[in-house]
Amino acid sequence: MSITPTAPITPITPTAPRPPTTPGPPVTEGHRVAVLALPGVLPLDLGIPVQTFGTDSHYRVTVCTDPAAGPVDSGGFTVAAAAGLEALRDAGTVVVPGYQDPDSPPPAAALAAIRSAHERGARLVSICTGAFLLAAAGLLDGRPATTHWQDAAALQRRYPRIDVRPNQLYVDDGDVLTSAGVTAGIDLCLHIIRRDFGAAAANARARVLVAPPQRPGGQAQFIDRFRPLARADGLGPVRTWMLGNLAHRQTVDDLAQRAHMSRRTFIRRFQQETGTSPMAWLTAARIDWARELLEATTTPVEQIARLSGLGSPAAFRAAFHRHVGTSPADYRGTFRTVKA
């Protein structure tokens, strides 16, 4: 593969069936990996499988494109791939990196090639919005999958038969594996090496990449916020009050009274405006506030538990881990912006 500077970018969307989940055949030395660069491929997403597998002696990597789709622009670069779609015929693993604008229809030849590779028994892997190609080919129907948290709602809306898991870093469903954005792609590639050749091989690659050797796929993506944005302003004043009183006890009955509504009407209206229940929205808002305190202050965890309204320190730690996938202490160690 060679990369030369240039200009802008292009895109992906829907169709078809799905085979049963299977882990695929055992992986042996010299395992062939084809990295499919679609129009508008994201440079970092493209580089992850090439760098992770391409310099590992266990694998043989080929970057390929659909020549009929023309030059592949990648954020100011043009990708000159070593092969066309025929590379998918011999690959044991096919990786689809993320690409710009997954709303546009994918090249028909790429869809056919990816379906054919899977029917033949190839393992399919997506990074970030690469999941949209697998979904368009019908290969995620009935399966759990993930993508970048910013695109998860669109993936679920467009392909309702997929079990979209927006909070997970990656999902291993045997012969089809999907990951969230950028660093989650590294996590998934290291997970694949661990699955193929063991922990020692994965740890060796992680050291070379200066990456954590293992982050479990179930860990939550570090998304901007957990509480859903409101789609209407009718209960806006009530939500503003809720945000200003997170440390205090709040019940649905009290909130309904504040909104001058019956309990039932309040819950229905709240659901219409936010897409979730009042208590789920409140818990997510408390988690968001706790994250801000962990990132921007040195406030002890015990005090954050009280300020966020999430209960005792033990209850706070449990709720935080359930939503974020890591402990408050580990989250602070990763994201703190002030010195102790």
Side-chain angles (χ1 to χ4, degrees):
M1 177 190 85
S2 64
I3 299 183
T4 51
T6 359
I9 309 188
T10 19
I12 280 207
T13 297
T15 18
R18 93 145 266 216
T21 301
T22 149
V27 172
T28 56
E29 295 284 337
H31 182 79
R32 291 178 179 271
V33 177
V35 180
L36 176 58
L38 294 165
V41 65
L42 299 172
L44 280 176
D45 290 3
L46 175 62
I48 286 166
V50 174
Q51 179 77 5
T52 306
F53 297 121
T55 53
D56 187 315
S57 60
H58 296 102
Y59 302 94
R60 295 164 60 188
V61 176
T62 302
V63 176
C64 60
T65 63
D66 176 5
V72 174
D73 290 323
S74 175
F77 297 92
T78 295
V79 179
L85 294 174
E86 71 281 354
L88 272 63
R89 295 182 200 137
D90 301 320
T93 296
V94 178
V95 183
V96 185
Y99 51 90
Q100 295 277 347
D101 190 11
D103 289 330
S104 295
L111 282 174
I114 206 87
R115 288 191 194 108
S116 176
H118 192 240
E119 287 167 8
R120 181 178 52 74
R123 174 172 59 188
L124 304 184
V125 178
S126 69
I127 297 173
C128 194
T129 52
F132 282 78
L133 177 72
L134 303 187
L139 301 175
L140 295 182
D141 288 352
R143 292 181 181 268
T146 192
T147 186
H148 194 289
W149 63 268
Q150 289 180 314
D151 300 288
L155 183 65
Q156 185 69 86
R157 188 169 56 250
R158 196 174 310 155
Y159 304 101
R161 294 183 63 193
I162 302 174
D163 175 14
V164 178
R165 300 184 178 180
N167 285 342
Q168 291 192 215
L169 294 177
Y170 59 84
V171 174
D172 180 345
D173 194 39
D175 57 343
V176 177
L177 302 90
T178 54
S179 78
V182 191
T183 55
I186 299 174
D187 294 324
L188 179 54
C189 289
L190 290 173
H191 168 76
I192 289 169
I193 295 174
R194 183 175 297 103
R195 195 176 104 170
D196 291 348
F197 297 104
N203 292 343
R205 291 305 301 140
R207 282 194 294 274
V208 172
L209 296 170
V210 195
Q214 183 172 15
R215 289 198 297 169
Q219 178 175 320
Q221 297 183 42
F222 293 119
I223 62 179
D224 244 3
R225 63 168 70 216
F226 282 98
R227 68 181 184 274
L229 295 170
R231 293 189 288 268
D233 293 325
L235 293 175
V238 175
R239 285 191 296 273
T240 299
W241 185 89
M242 292 168 73
L243 291 174
N245 293 273
L246 293 176
H248 300 115
R249 182 172 179 269
Q250 300 182 32
T251 68
V252 173
D253 288 333
D254 291 340
L255 295 171
Q257 188 174 7
R258 180 169 291 277
H260 306 293
M261 295 177 182
S262 70
R263 175 189 174 94
R264 186 172 177 180
T265 300
F266 174 73
I267 292 172
R268 177 173 51 79
R269 286 279 299 280
F270 200 99
Q271 176 85 33
Q272 288 172 345
E273 292 187 16
T274 66
T276 190
S277 70
M279 290 299 102
W281 191 92
L282 179 61
T283 298
R286 285 171 164 161
I287 293 291
D288 282 342
W289 177 228
R291 290 168 67 204
E292 287 189 38
L293 292 173
L294 289 167
E295 292 173 19
T297 75
T298 57
T299 305
V301 167
E302 292 72 19
Q303 196 173 341
I304 292 176
R306 181 178 59 77
L307 291 172
S308 63
L310 287 166
S312 68
F316 167 58
R317 288 186 177 94
F320 194 90
H321 198 285
R322 192 163 56 250
H323 280 75
V324 185
T326 190
S327 70
D330 285 347
Y331 183 89
R332 170 171 268 170
T334 302
F335 290 100
R336 182 163 56 196
T337 56
V338 294
K339 297 196 177 183

